[in-house]
Amino acid sequence: MYNKEIKVVDCTIRDGGLINKWQFSHDMVKKVFQAINASGVDYMEMGYRASTKMFPPEEYGTWRFTRDHVVREIIGDTEVKAKLGVMVDIGRVEEEDIHPADESPLDFFRIATYLKDVDKAIELAKLIVDKGYETFINIMAISAVSDSDLAEGLQQISDETDVTCVNIVDSFGALMPHRVAQLVNIYKDNLKKGKSVGMHAHNNLQMGFANSLEAIKEGVSFCDATITGIGRAAGNCPMELLLTDLKNPKYNIEPIYQVMEDVFVDLRKEIEWGYLIPYLITAALNEHPRAAMALRNSEDKDKYAEFYKTMTTPECEVN
């Protein structure tokens, strides 16, 4: 599946931090950065950028805020080959948190938004573009959006912003390959020339990798992945699978395997991610995995049948 046009975006720290409130050590993040940088992966999302007025620093780790000076500490004297960036959520970042690009070690921002907030995403995108950054918009929970509403929102983004790419985000891990193909073509049909399509797949139905391949086949330009598939709940398309399949000689997978050995073997003993039955259940119902995540953090974490019944049985009043 050699495709020299695809750009791979690493989300290991940003999406992985959703598991433990971004409480990763500087040493761990530095090892991940060095591995991604050495591997030839095109983009690395270092974490989120958020306002400390909205998220108490004593509760959240460094990578919930990902300040410029911390990124510089991680880079050190390394020659940076990958583009570095962060994600921002609508309403959770302030203008003062985003410095001009010529004063920052970051190259790009990705804006996470639900379709209902597309107007707010457009305004934030304009601000970030004006500050000199390459800018992406990620439309979340795409499996819960109607085609007509999606087409309208994409046209608005296309007409009113200078973003590089708009990403399909399977937040619930509910998509199957045939639906991914349909969505890619809806995006392509409604975005003007010069604006690319990207894919961010979750693995609740064990379709993260398959859906990423389908998106690539249908013509996306950017594809997200994480080392060992780490990410919220069932996690994401695994980086090691994607790089192996792309067969692009610019990618060197050996540093990825090394950091898996050095960091992720032990990390799996501390935090949990990957395909599990509760995440299958929420995805099959096209629901956010928060209920499954709560179950996995409880004493009843393996009571699958009871969880399924709770999720599928409507509450009824007894007359």
Side-chain angles (χ1 to χ4, degrees), residues 34-165:
Q34 290 171 339
I36 292 298
N37 196 54
S39 73
V41 166
D42 306 273
Y43 290 71
M44 179 180 177
E45 203 172 46
M46 301 289 290
Y48 273 98
R49 174 68 55 85
S51 171
T52 54
K53 299 173 185 175
M54 303 176 192
F55 295 91
E58 62 272 14
E59 181 179 349
Y60 293 88
T62 300
W63 314 105
R64 187 66 179 96
F65 311 101
T66 319
R67 297 304 188 215
D68 286 350
H69 73 275
V70 179
V71 175
R72 291 190 181 95
E73 291 172 6
I74 296 299
I75 293 170
D77 297 328
T78 303
E79 178 187 356
V80 182
K81 301 174 184 177
K83 290 186 177 182
L84 305 181
V86 293
M87 177 170 280
V88 291
D89 288 324
I90 298 296
R92 295 179 176 178
V93 68
E94 299 183 19
E95 183 174 355
E96 65 194 46
D97 298 317
I98 304 170
H99 304 132
D102 59 6
E103 300 174 9
S104 172
L106 300 179
D107 304 291
F108 70 93
F109 274 71
R110 300 209 301 177
I111 300 166
T113 184
Y114 292 105
L115 189 62
K116 68 181 181 64
D117 292 323
V118 70
D119 292 319
K120 297 175 183 177
I122 286 170
E123 289 307 306
L124 184 54
K126 289 177 180 177
L127 183 148
I128 294 172
V129 168
D130 286 347
K131 286 181 179 284
Y133 295 95
E134 185 174 8
T135 308
F136 300 68
I137 290 179
N138 286 21
I139 302 178
M140 300 185 293
I142 201 69
S143 59
V145 173
S146 73
D147 288 358
S148 58
D149 288 345
L150 177 59
E152 184 178 344
L154 289 169
Q155 290 169 15
Q156 190 176 351
I157 291 169
S158 189
D159 290 342
E160 299 181 26
T161 74
D162 290 323
V163 297
T164 295
C165 175

Side-chain angles (χ1 to χ4, degrees), residues 1-7 168 176-185 188 197-199 208-223 242 245-246:
M1 193 175 171
Y2 175 59
N3 188 328
K4 66 180 181 180
E5 304 302 326
I6 294 298
K7 294 181 174 63
I168 298 166
M176 299 296 281
H178 70 278
R179 181 55 179 157
V180 170
Q182 292 171 349
L183 286 167
V184 172
N185 285 288
K188 288 165 63 178
V197 183
M199 182 70 200
F209 180 46
N211 286 339
S212 297
L213 297 190
E214 186 69 17
I216 291 169
K217 186 183 80 172
E218 293 296 323
V220 301
S221 300
F222 293 84
C223 194
L242 184 62
D245 195 80
L246 288 176

Side-chain angles (χ1 to χ4, degrees), residues 196-252:
S196 299
V197 183
M199 182 70 200
H200 180 89
H202 278 260
N203 208 35
N204 301 54
L205 299 177
Q206 298 208 58
M207 286 290 152
F209 180 46
N211 286 339
S212 297
L213 297 190
E214 186 69 17
I216 291 169
K217 186 183 80 172
E218 293 296 323
V220 301
S221 300
F222 293 84
C223 194
D224 291 7
T226 62
I227 297 171
T228 72
I230 190 174
R232 186 197 63 202
N236 302 90
C237 173
M239 176 70 71
E240 57 277 12
L241 282 175
L242 184 62
L243 295 187
T244 297
D245 195 80
L246 288 176
K247 298 180 174 61
N248 190 328
K250 77 174 182 178
Y251 297 128
N252 176 12

